[in-house]
Amino acid sequence: MQRRDLLKSTLGSLFACAGNSTMLGGLGLLNSANALSSNSFDDHKTLVMVFLKGGVDSLGLLIPSDPQSYSQYRGLRQHLATPEKNLIEFNSLTLASPDYCAEMLDLFNTKKLSWVSNVGPLRQPTTKTMIQNDERKMPYFIGAHNSQQIMWNSATVDPNAREGWGARMLDLIQASTGGVTPNISLAKNQLFTSTLQTPTFSVNPESIENFTHLSYPPQGGESPDLDLFYALQGASRTGLLEQELASRNLRTFENSVLLSEIVSQTVETPVVYPEDTTYDGQTLQAQLKMAARLIEAAPELNHPRQVIMVEMNGFDTHDNQDRSLPELIRSLFRNLKAFQSDIEARGVDHRVVTFSQSDFGRTSTINANGTDHGWGGHNFLLGTPVNGGQVVGEVPEFGVNTEKMLYNLTIPDFSVEQYTSNLARWFGLSNSQIAEVFPNLHRFDDVDFGLL
């Protein structure tokens, strides 16, 4: 028996003898992988979520370019406005982007990327008049980082939500039978990839790590440390928590060995990622490189459906936005363009959709040398399955007295649920399953963006 088969067999036995799964699951302690059985998918699909942490100024990336609209934009953004000579026009649209979005526009013009305009958490379809009459129509804590991150990653308006919509989909469709679960974060533990039943499977983007000094010896060799580890974890225990800790230690070790071996056999592509001098860009790049390998490995990992979260920091641009934002956006799309080329070189691009989320958009007005926390913002979808070259929805005009602007916040046109349910439908969920993952979706029109 090959070592990989042995590991899979060991993991199966481990889950079978891990203890009372019903009792442990009720405590929210046990990753109930033994309860999962794959739906009848005959293909593989991966959703890669790129979280732009801090609240990206996406309003400043899609700029109305007709003379009157540009003049309004210039009046509000003042010295932060991109000069006309530094704007690149979208094909056949009265929109433009700053020249530091050149890679994004390359992806847009080659029909690999589209935008969904003005998305954010909503209780129900909401107008300016409704909020002026009753502020309770707004979600709680608009503009608060933690609460808005939770709402986006749970696809609810509950600032205390404890489960992410990515992991909820996987639990519902029972997407894996293996020990390495397909709810993967390359940015440590995250709500998006967690449920009470299935905690995030966190992977170090630099390398698959395991316990120090523990590894399988060469054929026929001995490992006293490994023997001691198994003896300690297999010792008799009466306490429920002690049993769970030992079970988790074993799972962690075995899963890491299995994952490391499978990922090590993925191909090295000739794609060259850009040289990136920023820490945030380097961190994102490492995550994307590992994501590409995990996507290629999905069939061997028994992941017919897989969600992967990556994260880029630095977007809370209260100050120095004129210097920091161009650098961040340039790095973001250069790395995403390389990632798309990477998965194309691996021959897996047809089964991958990459999309963005962020805390919130930012205000259309400025505060000194930056922008403040906002509400609605633009989000992109990227990939071979995407009907690219489109901007869905109406890009809000820059103005403080418009029907889309209140308290210097842009009122979203689309809810988080409308945006994410389009992704869930491509992922393979039925209408009834979508309704279960997004229980507030019924409050909104069922809009097919036509992007997938």
Side-chain angles (χ1 to χ4, degrees):
M1 180 182 291
Q2 293 186 350
R3 183 171 66 174
R4 185 183 304 173
D5 298 326
L6 176 63
L7 287 171
K8 291 179 177 179
S9 175
T10 302
L11 284 167
S13 300
L14 173 62
F15 287 122
C17 65
N20 188 327
S21 61
T22 303
M23 188 180 345
L24 291 173
L27 289 174
L29 295 173
L30 180 61
N31 178 350
S32 305
N34 59 320
L36 300 179
S37 59
S38 177
N39 273 19
S40 56
F41 294 118
D42 58 3
D43 61 353
H44 293 82
K45 290 184 177 182
T46 300
L47 284 171
V48 179
M49 194 266 273
V50 182
F51 197 84
L52 306 177
K53 193 170 183 180
V56 63
D57 180 30
S58 53
L59 296 181
L61 304 183
L62 302 181
I63 303 168
S65 59
D66 64 275
Q68 180 179 350
S69 297
Y70 179 79
S71 177
Q72 291 176 320
Y73 156 76
R74 183 82 185 224
L76 279 182
R77 283 296 172 99
Q78 301 178 42
H79 64 283
L80 292 184
T82 302
E84 281 188 283
K85 64 185 178 69
N86 297 123
L87 290 177
I88 305 175
E89 294 279 343
F90 281 74
N91 290 340
S92 71
L93 297 173
T94 55
L95 290 173
S97 284
D99 53 8
Y100 53 79
C101 295
E103 279 74 19
M104 180 275 288
L105 283 158
D106 284 346
L107 292 165
F108 185 90
N109 291 330
T110 54
K111 310 299 183 185
K112 295 178 182 178
L113 181 145
S114 284
W115 287 91
V116 180
S117 172
N118 199 19
V119 185
L122 289 167
R123 293 186 181 279
Q124 67 283 304
T126 302
T127 65
K128 183 175 182 176
T129 300
M130 290 170 63
I131 300 172
Q132 288 173 326
N133 291 335
D134 184 359
E135 289 191 355
R136 291 174 296 181
K137 299 295 184 183
M138 299 175 69
Y140 292 121
F141 309 125
I142 289 296
H145 287 291
N146 288 348
S147 298
Q148 299 306 299
Q149 290 168 12
I150 290 171
M151 291 182 190
W152 264 100
N153 287 327
S154 66
T156 71
V157 286
D158 180 3
N160 300 307
R162 299 173 64 191
E163 296 189 322
W165 69 267
R168 284 206 308 271
M169 289 194 303
L170 294 172
D171 277 1
L172 185 62
I173 62 179
Q174 300 180 340
S176 175
T177 58
V180 179
T181 55
N183 53 320
I184 298 169
S185 170
L186 293 165
K188 301 183 180 179
N189 190 44
Q190 296 286 345
L191 177 65
F192 172 70
T193 49
S194 296
T195 65
L196 297 179
Q197 174 176 289
T198 313
T200 293
F201 194 96
S202 181
V203 176
N204 185 323
E206 301 292 344
S207 63
I208 310 298
E209 292 189 338
N210 215 327
F211 298 130
T212 305
H213 304 308
L214 290 183
S215 61
Y216 281 99
Q219 187 93 14
E222 295 184 355
S223 175
D225 289 338
L226 190 59
D227 292 342
L228 178 60
F229 170 77
Y230 275 109
L232 288 172
Q233 306 315 313
S236 177
R237 292 173 172 84
T238 57
L240 189 63
L241 293 177
E242 292 175 335
Q243 293 174 16
E244 174 62 14
L245 177 60
S247 173
R248 286 200 175 205
N249 286 340
L250 285 167
R251 289 205 306 271
T252 298
F253 175 73
E254 300 284 6
N255 288 341
S256 294
V257 172
L258 176 63
L259 182 61
S260 178
E261 181 164 332
I262 291 175
V263 168
S264 70
Q265 296 185 17
T266 56
V267 302
E268 291 291 339
T269 69
V271 173
V272 178
Y273 282 75
E275 291 187 14
D276 203 313
T277 59
T278 69
Y279 173 79
D280 294 316
Q282 291 168 0
T283 302
L284 174 67
Q285 185 176 118
Q287 294 175 61
L288 292 173
K289 287 179 177 179
M290 180 60 77
R293 300 178 75 179
L294 290 167
I295 292 164
E296 182 187 340
E300 189 67 23
L301 290 168
N302 192 26
H303 291 175
R305 293 296 182 270
Q306 188 183 57
V307 296
I308 298 176
M309 178 173 172
V310 301
E311 182 177 81
M312 187 175 188
N313 290 289
F315 289 97
D316 196 16
T317 51
H318 289 283
D319 198 11
N320 298 319
Q321 179 168 312
D322 56 337
R323 294 191 295 275
S324 62
L325 186 64
E327 191 174 61
L328 288 165
I329 294 298
R330 190 178 293 112
S331 173
L332 169 67
F333 285 110
R334 283 179 176 174
N335 280 301
L336 285 174
K337 188 176 181 181
F339 170 70
Q340 179 64 24
S341 297
D342 193 351
I343 59 176
E344 288 173 6
R346 295 172 188 273
V348 298
D349 55 295
H350 61 285
R351 67 187 203 218
V352 183
V353 170
T354 303
F355 66 100
S356 68
Q357 295 187 174
S358 190
D359 312 30
F360 34 66
R362 302 191 77 83
T363 56
S364 59
T365 57
I366 66 173
N367 54 4
N369 200 30
T371 51
D372 213 336
H373 300 177
W375 188 358
H378 310 318
N379 291 273
F380 62 81
L381 279 68
L382 165 67
T384 300
V386 174
N387 296 320
Q390 301 184 58
V391 177
V392 175
E394 182 179 351
V395 174
E397 62 181 299
F398 280 81
V400 294
N401 295 315
T402 71
E403 284 303 306
K404 288 297 175 186
M405 185 69 65
L406 183 66
Y407 311 139
N408 208 18
L409 305 172
T410 303
I411 302 169
D413 289 315
F414 298 115
S415 71
V416 174
E417 292 92 338
Q418 288 172 300
Y419 174 64
T420 53
S421 63
N422 273 260
L423 294 159
R425 187 170 291 111
W426 172 81
F427 205 51
L429 272 69
S430 66
N431 288 337
S432 61
Q433 289 171 327
I434 289 172
E436 188 169 346
V437 173
F438 309 105
N440 297 327
L441 181 60
H442 70 278
R443 300 176 182 176
F444 304 94
D445 291 338
D446 183 11
V447 178
D448 182 350
F449 293 151
L451 298 181
L452 296 167

